[in-house]
Protein backbone atom coordinates (compact mmCIF):
# COMPACT_ATOMS: atom_id res chain seq x y z
CA UNK A 1 0.00 0.00 0.00
CA UNK A 2 1.04 3.56 -0.61
CA UNK A 3 0.09 7.01 0.60
CA UNK A 4 -0.58 9.67 -2.02
CA UNK A 5 1.46 12.82 -1.58
CA UNK A 6 -0.20 14.77 -4.39
CA UNK A 7 -3.53 14.61 -6.17
CA UNK A 8 -3.47 11.48 -8.35
CA UNK A 9 -5.72 10.18 -11.07
CA UNK A 10 -6.14 6.44 -10.45
CA UNK A 11 -6.51 4.98 -13.93
CA UNK A 12 -7.86 1.61 -12.80
CA UNK A 13 -10.54 2.98 -10.48
CA UNK A 14 -11.26 6.05 -12.65
CA UNK A 15 -11.17 8.44 -9.72
CA UNK A 16 -9.04 11.03 -7.99
CA UNK A 17 -6.91 9.99 -5.04
CA UNK A 18 -6.50 12.83 -2.56
CA UNK A 19 -3.17 13.61 -0.88
CA UNK A 20 -2.86 11.53 2.28
CA UNK A 21 -5.20 8.81 1.01
CA UNK A 22 -4.02 5.18 1.13
CA UNK A 23 -4.06 3.49 -2.23
CA UNK A 24 -2.72 0.50 -4.13
CA UNK A 25 -1.73 0.16 -7.77
CA UNK A 26 -2.35 -3.43 -8.90
CA UNK A 27 -2.49 -2.28 -12.51
CA UNK A 28 0.98 -0.73 -12.54
CA UNK A 29 4.33 -2.37 -13.03
CA UNK A 30 6.88 -2.23 -10.18
CA UNK A 31 8.90 0.13 -12.36
CA UNK A 32 5.95 2.52 -12.68
CA UNK A 33 5.34 2.44 -8.93
CA UNK A 34 9.02 3.04 -8.28
CA UNK A 35 8.89 6.00 -10.62
CA UNK A 36 5.89 7.46 -8.77
CA UNK A 37 7.85 7.17 -5.54
CA UNK A 38 10.89 8.75 -7.14
CA UNK A 39 8.96 11.80 -8.36
CA UNK A 40 7.41 12.25 -4.93
CA UNK A 41 3.85 11.36 -5.92
CA UNK A 42 3.46 8.53 -3.42
CA UNK A 43 5.25 7.00 -0.45
CA UNK A 44 5.18 3.33 0.56
CA UNK A 45 3.52 2.47 3.84
CA UNK A 46 3.46 -1.33 3.54
CA UNK A 47 7.12 -2.16 4.34
CA UNK A 48 6.82 -1.18 8.01
CA UNK A 49 3.84 -3.50 8.43
CA UNK A 50 5.66 -6.33 6.67
CA UNK A 51 8.65 -5.86 8.94
CA UNK A 52 6.41 -6.04 12.02
CA UNK A 53 4.84 -9.24 10.69
CA UNK A 54 8.31 -10.67 10.13
CA UNK A 55 9.23 -9.93 13.77
CA UNK A 56 6.13 -11.77 14.98
CA UNK A 57 7.02 -14.76 12.82
CA UNK A 58 10.55 -14.79 14.23
CA UNK A 59 9.27 -14.69 17.80
CA UNK A 60 6.93 -17.59 17.11
CA UNK A 61 9.82 -19.65 15.76
CA UNK A 62 11.88 -19.04 18.89
CA UNK A 63 9.00 -19.94 21.20
CA UNK A 64 8.28 -23.23 19.47
CA UNK A 65 11.90 -24.33 19.91
CA UNK B 1 19.75 26.66 -9.66
CA UNK B 2 21.16 24.08 -12.02
CA UNK B 3 19.72 24.28 -15.51
CA UNK B 4 16.78 21.94 -16.04
CA UNK B 5 17.35 18.95 -18.26
CA UNK B 6 13.68 17.94 -18.50
CA UNK B 7 12.19 20.80 -20.48
CA UNK B 8 9.55 19.61 -22.92
CA UNK B 9 7.69 20.84 -25.94
CA UNK B 10 4.03 20.16 -26.63
CA UNK B 11 4.82 17.72 -29.43
CA UNK B 12 3.34 14.75 -27.55
CA UNK B 13 0.43 16.48 -25.84
CA UNK B 14 -2.67 14.34 -25.40
CA UNK B 15 -5.98 16.20 -25.57
CA UNK B 16 -9.34 14.69 -24.68
CA UNK B 17 -12.89 16.01 -24.54
CA UNK B 18 -15.98 14.72 -22.80
CA UNK B 19 -19.66 15.53 -22.51
CA UNK B 20 -20.08 13.82 -19.14
CA UNK B 21 -16.68 13.83 -17.41
CA UNK B 22 -16.58 10.03 -17.51
CA UNK B 23 -16.27 8.96 -21.12
CA UNK B 24 -13.44 10.72 -22.92
CA UNK B 25 -12.66 11.07 -26.60
CA UNK B 26 -8.99 11.38 -27.50
CA UNK B 27 -8.74 14.20 -30.04
CA UNK B 28 -4.95 14.34 -30.16
CA UNK B 29 -5.12 13.32 -33.80
CA UNK B 30 -7.15 16.40 -34.66
CA UNK B 31 -6.28 19.05 -32.09
CA UNK B 32 -3.46 21.44 -32.90
CA UNK B 33 -3.49 23.77 -29.92
CA UNK B 34 -4.86 24.27 -26.42
CA UNK B 35 -4.87 27.65 -24.76
CA UNK B 36 -6.13 28.83 -21.41
CA UNK B 37 -7.19 32.40 -20.69
CA UNK B 38 -8.86 34.25 -17.87
CA UNK B 39 -8.63 33.07 -14.30
CA UNK B 40 -7.32 36.33 -12.93
CA UNK B 41 -7.86 36.84 -9.27
CA UNK B 42 -10.06 39.83 -8.64
CA UNK B 43 -8.36 42.74 -6.98
CA UNK B 44 -9.38 46.08 -5.63
CA UNK B 45 -7.41 49.10 -4.61
CA UNK B 46 -7.81 52.43 -2.95
CA UNK B 47 -5.48 55.31 -2.32
CA UNK B 48 -5.57 57.20 0.92
CA UNK B 49 -4.40 60.71 1.66
CA UNK B 50 -1.67 59.32 3.83
CA UNK B 51 0.99 57.12 2.27
CA UNK B 52 2.18 56.91 -1.35
CA UNK B 53 0.98 53.48 -2.46
CA UNK B 54 -2.36 51.76 -2.82
CA UNK B 55 -4.15 49.56 -0.34
CA UNK B 56 -4.85 46.39 -2.29
CA UNK B 57 -7.43 43.74 -1.55
CA UNK B 58 -7.87 40.39 -3.24
CA UNK B 59 -11.02 38.52 -4.19
CA UNK B 60 -11.98 35.38 -6.05
CA UNK B 61 -10.57 33.82 -9.19
CA UNK B 62 -12.45 34.56 -12.38
CA UNK B 63 -13.59 31.77 -14.72
CA UNK B 64 -11.16 30.19 -17.15
CA UNK B 65 -11.62 29.90 -20.87
CA UNK B 66 -10.03 26.88 -22.50
CA UNK B 67 -9.75 27.20 -26.25
CA UNK B 68 -9.04 24.18 -28.41
CA UNK B 69 -8.16 24.41 -32.08
CA UNK B 70 -8.81 21.29 -34.12
CA UNK B 71 -8.88 20.10 -37.68
CA UNK B 72 -12.37 20.24 -39.14
CA UNK B 73 -13.90 16.84 -39.86
CA UNK B 74 -17.43 15.57 -40.13
CA UNK B 75 -17.51 12.25 -38.26
CA UNK B 76 -20.07 12.11 -35.49
CA UNK B 77 -17.46 10.99 -32.95
CA UNK B 78 -14.91 13.58 -34.04
CA UNK B 79 -14.21 16.84 -32.20
CA UNK B 80 -16.12 19.22 -34.45
CA UNK B 81 -19.39 17.35 -34.10
CA UNK B 82 -18.97 16.63 -30.41
CA UNK B 83 -18.25 20.28 -29.62
CA UNK B 84 -21.01 21.50 -31.97
CA UNK B 85 -23.55 19.32 -30.19
CA UNK B 86 -22.53 20.67 -26.79
CA UNK B 87 -22.48 24.26 -28.05
CA UNK B 88 -25.88 24.15 -29.72
CA UNK B 89 -27.42 22.18 -26.87
CA UNK B 90 -25.85 24.24 -24.12
CA UNK B 91 -24.85 21.01 -22.42
CA UNK B 92 -21.93 19.96 -20.24
CA UNK B 93 -18.46 19.85 -21.71
CA UNK B 94 -15.04 18.98 -20.32
CA UNK B 95 -11.49 19.18 -21.62
CA UNK B 96 -8.39 17.53 -20.27
CA UNK B 97 -4.86 17.47 -21.57
CA UNK B 98 -1.54 15.93 -20.68
CA UNK B 99 1.42 17.97 -21.97
CA UNK B 100 3.78 14.98 -21.99
CA UNK B 101 1.34 12.47 -23.42
CA UNK B 102 -0.56 11.04 -20.48
CA UNK B 103 1.62 8.12 -19.36
CA UNK B 104 1.95 7.02 -15.75
CA UNK B 105 3.55 9.69 -13.57
CA UNK B 106 2.79 12.49 -15.99
CA UNK B 107 0.60 15.48 -15.24
CA UNK B 108 -2.93 15.89 -16.51
CA UNK B 109 -5.02 19.06 -16.41
CA UNK B 110 -8.79 18.54 -16.26
CA UNK B 111 -11.43 21.23 -16.43
CA UNK B 112 -14.45 21.27 -14.21
CA UNK B 113 -17.80 21.04 -15.95
CA UNK B 114 -18.25 23.89 -18.37
CA UNK B 115 -20.10 24.98 -21.46
CA UNK B 116 -18.92 25.65 -24.98
CA UNK B 117 -19.41 29.40 -25.12
CA UNK B 118 -17.76 30.11 -28.45
CA UNK B 119 -17.76 27.85 -31.45
CA UNK B 120 -16.27 28.29 -34.89
CA UNK B 121 -18.13 26.93 -37.87
CA UNK B 122 -16.06 25.88 -40.89
CA UNK B 123 -15.42 29.07 -42.80
CA UNK B 124 -12.49 30.73 -44.51
CA UNK B 125 -10.95 31.66 -47.79
CA UNK B 126 -9.97 29.46 -50.67
CA UNK B 127 -6.57 27.89 -50.17
CA UNK B 128 -4.57 24.74 -49.61
CA UNK B 129 -4.33 24.77 -45.83
CA UNK B 130 -6.26 22.29 -43.71
CA UNK B 131 -9.51 23.74 -42.46
CA UNK B 132 -9.32 24.42 -38.74
CA UNK B 133 -12.03 25.35 -36.28
CA UNK B 134 -11.84 26.29 -32.65
CA UNK B 135 -14.12 26.25 -29.67
CA UNK B 136 -13.93 27.79 -26.22
CA UNK B 137 -15.09 26.19 -23.01
CA UNK B 138 -15.79 28.39 -20.00
CA UNK B 139 -15.11 26.64 -16.71
CA UNK B 140 -14.66 27.45 -13.05
CA UNK B 141 -11.28 25.79 -12.65
CA UNK B 142 -8.70 23.33 -13.90
CA UNK B 143 -7.41 20.50 -11.72
CA UNK B 144 -3.88 19.18 -11.97
CA UNK B 145 -3.28 15.54 -11.13
CA UNK B 146 -0.60 12.95 -11.75
CA UNK B 147 -1.65 9.90 -13.71
CA UNK B 148 -1.20 6.66 -11.81
Amino acid sequence: MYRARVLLWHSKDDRYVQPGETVDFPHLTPEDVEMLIRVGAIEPIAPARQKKQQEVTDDTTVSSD
Amino acid sequence: MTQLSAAISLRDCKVEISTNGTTWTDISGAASSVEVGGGDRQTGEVYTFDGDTALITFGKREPLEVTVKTVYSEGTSEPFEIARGAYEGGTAFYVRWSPRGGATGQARYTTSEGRVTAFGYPVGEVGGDPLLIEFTVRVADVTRSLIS
Side-chain angles (χ1 to χ4, degrees), chain A residues 28-42:
Chain A
L28 297 184
T29 65
E31 292 76 20
D32 282 340
V33 173
E34 190 60 37
M35 185 267 293
L36 288 173
I37 296 172
R38 195 168 58 249
V39 301
I42 59 173

Side-chain angles (χ1 to χ4, degrees), chain B residues 31-125:
Chain B
S32 63
S33 80
V34 178
E35 295 180 357
V36 179
D40 291 347
R41 185 174 294 282
Q42 297 173 330
T43 64
E45 61 194 44
V46 64
Y47 294 89
T48 61
F49 291 116
D50 187 33
D52 191 40
T53 57
L55 298 176
I56 304 177
T57 52
F58 300 93
K60 307 294 187 182
R61 285 185 291 162
E62 295 175 349
L64 294 163
E65 293 191 329
V66 179
T67 299
V68 179
K69 187 177 291 184
T70 83
V71 174
Y72 169 71
S73 60
E74 299 183 345
T76 55
S77 60
E78 291 170 350
F80 175 81
E81 277 299 285
I82 296 173
R84 185 181 66 83
Y87 168 67
E88 294 179 354
T91 51
F93 202 83
Y94 303 76
V95 180
R96 70 183 184 185
W97 67 98
S98 304
R100 294 168 63 196
T104 298
Q106 296 178 350
R108 171 187 286 159
Y109 298 86
T110 305
T111 69
S112 54
E113 179 181 324
R115 296 290 186 275
V116 179
T117 54
F119 182 80
Y121 287 92
V123 295
E125 298 180 358

